[in-house]
């Protein structure tokens, strides 16, 4: 048999194995609220090819390719356990098992590693928690996709309604179409129908009421059977406590803003300071996409090396706030054509660092340039460190953080030599370290951090909402601290 035939036979075998994993992963998710991960990447509702690609991607960050032949036994072992709601990373299980020298079988090792999620240690499955989206623009529709995707067994978060201003004839049909098709993020994974008589969009069986209102004061959510809900404001119209408090209407318990909050509104970067949210806090912000991109790696560097000062320069994709063609705009430069120009603007991300990392005394400055790409940005983080180090040490540290630390859902790592911005469309991490571009000279380090400023940020928003509603289930094996 030729090498070509051997490779093809191996591929077909791995396809068959991946195919056998899909129903097991699906049942774990639907019946037990268990999400199977591979190095922080969910395998739920993934195709055969997607599962194989996710395994191969492990080669970039872990140094060697992970095969489905290695991970299948762990999935099989999980199906035999009395599991409760949890997230289980089979990539980490396989990695730790390989280093374990006790001679345990895969089944024995797996049972031990996830013992906190089995039997009497299981946490209760949460009752569904209502979610309302106020505004249905770029972030609103991506958050909607994520909430629908994560509906799973019906427990956890349940998108009940979106609130928008009336847009005339066929408004709901056009909004449903924008949810169904996206020029950047592709087709919605599932089915969408419209019930115009009931003013509802039905997405993968989830009935989402479309409520028309010009102001928060016009809506009584209990009239739609919505109670104790989390409202996610995607408009950015109100950013202080007084303005956002208008959303605390009948049926709404908490308000989450998808923009930097002002005044005393807590700015939360999941993975960094989400555990500081007070149980009785009703209003909070998820900060900005750029803040979410720079704060996790900044924390990782500060914890290991100390940071004396820093500057972040963001090269940011253009947004709907800019004009397609030159026209009046209240802000400087943003009136110039976004698809035709690089546009210097300001970023509040640097000042927002103080809210997310109050113990970091280092001054951080920042500026931004908007460029003619529709999505994915890069933050260039230049740091003066507290001690000298080497490029190799920094990369080893950040690779390890991306694999094993509590920040592994926020920080990703790539060694791809030809990586460009479009490669990171759809990334669920808030920040991706580009190893090839990293520069270190003594106590100076420059990190190049890619981020999908739409989808990666939306994932962070959903993580915050999961946390405040109590449906952020524990991960096993537990991340290294």
């Amino acid at each position: 048999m030729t090498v070509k035939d051997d490779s093809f036979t191996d591929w077909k075998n791995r396809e068959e194995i991946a195919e056998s994993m899909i129903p097991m992963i699906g049942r774990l998710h639907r019946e037990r609220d268990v999400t199977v991960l591979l190095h922080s990447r969910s395998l739920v509702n993934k195709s055969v090819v997607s599962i194989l690609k996710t395994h191969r991607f492990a080669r970039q960050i872990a140094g060697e390719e992970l095969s489905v032949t290695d991970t299948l036994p762990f999935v099989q072992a999980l199906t035999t356990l009395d599991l409760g709601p949890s997230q289980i990373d089979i990539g980490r299980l396989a990695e730790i098992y390989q280093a374990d020298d006790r001679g345990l079988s895969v089944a024995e090792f797996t049972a031990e590693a996830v013992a906190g999620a089995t039997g009497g240690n299981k946490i209760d499955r949460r009752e569904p928690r209502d979610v309302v989206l106020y505004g249905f623009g770029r972030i609103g529709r991506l958050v909607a996709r994520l909430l629908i995707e994560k509906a799973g067994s019906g427990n956890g978060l349940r998108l009940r309604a979106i609130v928008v201003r009336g847009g005339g004839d066929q408004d709901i049909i056009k909004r449903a179409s924008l949810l169904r098709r996206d020029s950047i993020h592709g087709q919605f994974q599932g089915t969408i129908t419209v019930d115009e008589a009931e003013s509802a969009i039905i997405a993968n069986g989830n009935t989402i009421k479309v409520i028309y209102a010009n102001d928060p004061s016009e809506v009584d959510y209990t009239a739609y059977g919505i109670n104790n809900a989390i409202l996610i404001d995607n408009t950015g119209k109100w950013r202080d406590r007084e303005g956002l408090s208008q959303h605390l209407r009948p049926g709404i318990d908490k308000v989450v803003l998808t923009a930097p909050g002002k005044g005393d509104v807590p700015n939360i970067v999941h993975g960094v300071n989400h555990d500081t949210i007070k149980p009785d806090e009703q209003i909070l912000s998820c900060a900005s996409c750029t803040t979410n991109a720079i704060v996790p790696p900044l924390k990782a560097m500060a914890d290991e090396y100390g940071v004396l000062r820093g500057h972040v320069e963001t090269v940011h994709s253009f947004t709907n706030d800019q004009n397609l063609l030159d026209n009046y705009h209240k802000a400087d430069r943003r009136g110039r054509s976004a698809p035709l120009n690089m546009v210097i603007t300001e970023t509040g991300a640097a000042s927002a660092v103080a809210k997310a990392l109050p113990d970091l005394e280092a001054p951080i400055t920042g500026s931004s340039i908007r460029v003619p790409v529709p999505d994915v940005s890069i933050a260039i983080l230049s740091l003066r460190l507290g001690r000298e180090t080497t490029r190799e040490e920094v990369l080893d540290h950040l690779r390890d953080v991306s694999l094993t630390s509590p920040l592994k859902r926020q920080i990703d790592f790539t060694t791809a030599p030809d990586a460009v911005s479009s490669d990171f469309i759809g990334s669920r991490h808030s920040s991706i370290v580009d190893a090839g571009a990293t520069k270190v000279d003594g106590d100076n380090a420059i990190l190049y951090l890619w981020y999908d400023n739409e989808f990666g940020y939306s994932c962070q928003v959903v993580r915050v909402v999961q946390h405040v509603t109590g449906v952020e289930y524990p991960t096993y094996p537990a991340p290294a601290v």
Side-chain angles (χ1 to χ4, degrees):
M1 183 178 288
T2 66
V3 173
K4 181 178 180 181
D5 289 338
D6 282 343
S7 297
F8 184 69
T9 300
D10 178 61
W11 171 260
K12 300 302 289 184
N13 289 338
R14 287 187 289 129
E15 273 190 322
E16 184 177 0
I17 293 171
E19 190 172 20
S20 72
M21 296 170 73
I22 291 173
M24 290 185 279
I25 292 169
R27 282 195 300 272
L28 286 167
H29 185 60
R30 289 190 304 274
E31 298 173 7
R32 307 186 197 179
D33 273 0
V34 173
T35 300
V36 177
L37 311 172
L38 186 83
H39 287 312
S40 300
R41 290 164 169 78
S42 173
L43 297 182
V44 176
N45 292 329
K46 295 297 187 289
S47 68
V48 168
V49 172
S50 292
I51 290 174
L52 292 175
K53 287 179 68 175
T54 304
H55 277 74
R56 182 159 177 77
F57 183 80
R59 179 171 59 92
Q60 285 194 41
I61 51 177
E64 59 184 27
E65 186 170 348
L66 188 64
S67 172
V68 286
T69 59
D70 299 320
T71 57
L72 175 63
F74 293 96
V75 177
Q76 292 170 326
L78 292 175
T79 64
T80 68
L81 298 174
D82 180 26
L83 285 167
S86 55
Q87 300 185 101
I88 299 178
D89 194 320
I90 57 174
R92 288 284 293 143
L93 283 175
E95 181 182 22
I96 298 171
Y97 178 70
Q98 191 173 28
D100 190 276
D101 59 2
R102 293 175 295 164
L104 299 177
S105 68
V106 168
E108 291 169 335
F109 176 83
T110 302
E112 177 184 275
V114 303
T118 61
N121 295 324
K122 292 190 302 185
I123 62 176
D124 294 331
R125 299 175 77 176
R126 303 290 190 255
E127 289 297 316
R129 187 71 176 270
D130 292 349
V131 179
V132 173
L133 295 178
Y134 197 96
F136 205 51
R138 297 298 302 152
I139 300 302
R141 291 194 296 274
L142 291 177
V143 169
R145 286 188 174 200
L146 286 164
L147 291 172
I148 294 163
E149 170 196 299
K150 294 177 181 297
S153 63
N155 294 281
L157 302 176
R158 182 173 58 174
L159 178 58
R160 295 292 309 281
I162 62 173
V163 183
V164 293
R165 292 183 177 181
D169 292 342
Q170 295 192 316
D171 180 274
I172 192 171
I173 293 174
K174 291 179 179 178
R175 294 186 189 278
S177 182
L178 286 170
L179 178 61
R180 184 182 293 113
R181 302 176 182 87
D182 191 284
S183 300
I184 296 169
H185 301 282
Q187 296 280 332
F188 174 80
Q189 296 301 302
T191 63
I192 293 176
T193 57
V194 173
D195 185 339
E196 288 189 85
E198 294 296 325
S199 188
I201 296 171
I202 299 91
N204 290 359
N206 297 269
T207 299
I208 307 162
K209 189 74 174 179
V210 180
I211 301 171
Y212 294 100
N214 294 315
D215 187 84
S217 63
E218 298 178 8
V219 188
D220 178 350
Y221 294 95
T222 59
Y224 302 94
I226 297 171
N227 293 283
N228 197 33
I230 309 297
L231 183 144
I232 304 174
D233 184 326
N234 309 287
T235 68
K237 183 176 180 180
W238 305 280
R239 293 171 56 185
D240 59 11
R241 186 173 296 276
E242 180 181 1
L244 293 168
S245 293
Q246 298 176 75
H247 289 304
L248 295 173
R249 303 279 301 153
I252 302 299
D253 178 58
K254 295 180 185 294
V255 179
V256 174
L257 171 66
T258 63
K262 295 182 177 180
D264 67 342
V265 174
N267 280 249
I268 304 300
V269 175
H270 189 276
V272 175
N273 68 337
H274 65 277
D275 56 354
T276 65
I277 301 173
K278 298 177 181 177
D280 61 349
E281 178 61 75
Q282 288 188 289
I283 295 174
L284 54 91
S285 156
C286 291
S288 71
C289 56
T290 301
T291 303
N292 277 266
I294 65 173
V295 166
L298 181 57
K299 174 176 170 54
M301 294 296 287
D303 288 348
E304 181 67 18
Y305 303 104
V307 171
L308 303 182
R309 65 173 179 268
H311 176 80
V312 61
E313 189 77 32
T314 67
V315 182
H316 198 291
S317 58
F318 65 80
T319 70
N320 271 330
D321 177 62
Q322 296 171 258
N323 291 336
L324 287 174
L325 295 172
D326 289 2
N327 207 348
Y328 172 80
H329 195 293
K330 63 181 180 180
D332 293 342
R333 306 184 201 253
R334 293 196 187 191
R336 301 300 300 278
S337 173
L340 298 177
N341 294 289
M342 293 189 292
V343 179
I344 298 173
T345 186
E346 72 281 347
T347 175
S351 59
V353 168
K355 286 192 173 184
L357 289 174
D359 294 334
L360 183 69
E361 297 181 357
I364 306 294
T365 57
S367 53
S368 180
I369 302 173
R370 298 284 180 91
V371 295
V373 294
D375 187 30
V376 179
S377 304
I378 190 167
I380 306 168
L381 185 59
S382 181
L383 302 174
R384 174 75 180 276
L385 304 177
R387 66 175 174 87
E388 292 192 353
T389 182
T390 64
R391 181 175 182 272
E392 292 71 23
E393 183 186 351
V394 168
L395 290 178
D396 285 345
H397 170 60
L398 292 175
R399 180 189 289 107
D400 186 60
V401 167
S402 75
L403 287 171
T404 65
S405 81
L407 290 171
K408 65 182 184 178
R409 285 199 290 170
Q410 283 71 43
I411 299 177
D412 203 0
F413 190 91
T414 182
T415 59
D418 293 322
V420 293
S421 61
S422 61
D423 296 329
F424 303 103
I425 292 174
S427 170
R428 294 175 183 246
H429 291 78
S430 60
S431 186
I432 305 105
V433 177
D434 192 313
T438 300
K439 295 175 173 57
V440 179
D441 181 11
D443 60 355
N444 289 298
I446 303 175
L447 308 182
Y448 286 74
L449 308 167
W450 298 101
Y451 58 109
D452 184 329
N453 47 277
E454 293 186 336
F455 197 73
Y457 176 67
S458 297
C459 289
Q460 283 287 86
V461 172
V462 171
R463 290 175 189 132
V464 170
V465 174
Q466 288 176 317
H467 178 74
V468 299
T469 55
V471 298
E472 185 181 35
Y473 297 133
T475 300
Y476 297 93
V481 178

